[in-house]
Amino acid sequence: MDMFFAYLLIASATPLFLWLDNKKVALSSIPPIMLMWGFFFFYMTNRLSPTGHSLMVVLFILNVIIAHIAAFFIYGLPLIRKHSRQ
């Protein structure tokens, strides 16, 4: 759970870093982040059902995928464009 919380804090800042580079990816990451915070609240208050626990894991995986897409847009795409011009 500590790793989930650490990732949740990092993921919460992702839209801020992406806003100037790609607004669509930044906006698409906001709803899963809000849902993850909600699931985290229910987990910490021991009110999360087994189905809710599964949904929390799915949202975590979805957010990891969005973060990797964001990293590609920030770091990978400019590098590819730089090498394709040369």
Side-chain angles (χ1 to χ4, degrees), residues 54-71:
S54 298
L55 285 173
M56 186 174 73
V57 171
V58 168
L59 282 172
F60 177 80
I61 293 169
L62 178 66
N63 230 336
V64 168
I65 291 169
I66 290 172
H68 280 82
I69 291 170

Side-chain angles (χ1 to χ4, degrees), residues 21-51:
D21 294 322
N22 197 322
K23 289 179 175 59
K24 288 181 185 177
V25 175
L27 290 174
S28 70
S29 66
I30 293 173
I33 291 169
M34 291 172 50
L35 288 171
M36 283 180 15
W37 275 109
F39 280 113
F40 180 73
F41 170 76
F42 287 120
Y43 178 82
M44 293 306 293
T45 57
N46 293 325
R47 291 188 278 167
L48 192 61
S49 68
T51 304

Side-chain angles (χ1 to χ4, degrees), residues 2-15:
D2 292 338
M3 188 161 102
F4 175 77
F5 183 69
Y7 180 77
L8 185 55
L9 292 176
I10 293 168
S12 297
T14 301

